[in-house]
Amino acid sequence: MAFGPTKRKKKTKPMRQGSSPQQAGSSSAGRATSTNTEVELEKAQSDENRTQGKVYSRGKQPEVEIPRVPRVPVGLGPYFYISGSNGAKLVSIYCQSRGWQRIYDNRRKDYALKWCEIKCQETYYHFKEGEQLLYQIPNNRVLTSKIGLLCCLREQERVMKRISRSPNSKLLKMKEFFPESFRLDLKDDRNAFFELCKEGQMWICKPSCSNQGQGIFLLKSPAALNSIQAKLHSFEERLLNKKVPQKAPQARIVQRYIHQPLLLEGKKFDVRSYLLIACTAPYVLCFAQGYVRLACVNYDAASDDLTVHLTNQYMQKKNPLYSQLKEETVWRMEHFNTYVNEKFRKANGLPKDWVFTVFTKRMQQIMLQCFLAAKHKLESKLGYFDLIGCDFLIDENFKVWLLEMNANPALHTNCRALKDIIPTIVFESLDLVLEVFNKRLKGQSVLPLETLSHFALLYHEDAANIGQKQPLKLSTGRYLRPHRMLSHSDTLQHPEGSEDGRITLPSGTPTQLCLREFTHSDTTSPPRAFAHAVVLGLRTVQHWLLF
């Protein structure tokens, strides 16, 4: 499996900065550096308290620093580690509400929960199945990268063509929910695209592994098509001539642009929903409504402004009107449902509450079909979990299209609607992950899910009747139990941030599951993926579409 290096915007070498909101205002001095360690620091720390890494003019001496003694959490575990800023505040609040202690050294192996934005190979190597919880399935890119998802769906389509498709099958053909797509890194695929592409058509070109709209551009003129075709041809020639280029082109796909989208008050929009993989052994999947993302300005298909075409918050912030219209760029699903009832229901013959009935069921169906297409490729261990952001577009004929699935979806709360929606998603996700993990260790039935509230159960592998499971002896979840505080000799000599204060969850937050003592028990785990997993999963999908 391949893991990309951490992207750093700043070139300062001595330290890496994070943004743990619980430590705002805390005092900290210089930090040591280690290539194997990620140290989370606070953005709000005073510049006067930072001395390491400063450049002093000749003859000017720095102030005398008091040597810093490495700090460890005060009190018993369990311990949790967070890397990166996305969702860090909410995860920290959740864990501290349970009395867990935050650690700041990525090399420590006694964590109960690790939440990282960037996947590190070493993290998965040292992961202890059945004892720890780890955010992000290591090879989730088979589902969340543009090329990975496209390959899985194509493979699924080929399998379905070889077997008889039942007239009552719940499975969809790709053309029914996924825009026509081609890979530019494959010669046959890109040749097929250039032969198909005609003047007057619009296509959108996306990097395979990027998110937030980064690296995306539109192809809507012969000049743009000729330019990208020439670049790809030049690279191909260099390979044939055995001339190694300095840098290979970024892997990309091109998708047919949905040029007649449904508009809300004249603006383009898409819908972000969530797929929670609460457990991978066995698989337990849940669906959650998210929110509507709108552009700042009215839609114009001919516009070259990407903020007209891409509705995510990262792109909309680039629009000069964003600061004035920020609150209008995110709608709750209830608002969206009311708007559709009032503006479109009668004119388009839609049933009442189309958003919460037909549209929701379609999203669930598409999500589950995509998961089943990738399931046999995903790595599964008890303790892996994932939260995936799924983006849907509705055209003017009310056809639902899946645009993409995103790993590590944005969990920022920069407007009023998101301050209510995102915490619920994060807190209930962790509730469900812990509940399933706890039941699994005790050998109990996963269902019913006591902490299921905002989410809806989408798929439960135990009930899918997929062959005989092989027994697997698991540990006792020891890192999720309170245990002794490490002595100084037990800790790595690396400076850590000052301890966070105890924080209470907002009223109404779903945190019903209490920390329990685990007892050792023999449990079962589903077998590894096998050759017929795709076909077998596809044949059972109609039983697990909850509508």
Side-chain angles (χ1 to χ4, degrees), residues 292-310:
V292 178
R293 310 184 298 186
L294 295 90
C296 290
V297 295
N298 286 355
Y299 177 68
D300 177 8
S303 175
D304 293 324
D305 182 1
L306 280 179
T307 65
V308 172
H309 302 278
L310 306 180

Side-chain angles (χ1 to χ4, degrees), residues 327-340:
E327 298 297 337
E328 299 176 25
T329 62
V330 176
W331 283 13
R332 300 172 189 272
M333 295 300 289
E334 292 79 6
H335 182 186
F336 179 40
N337 184 60
T338 300
Y339 187 90
V340 170

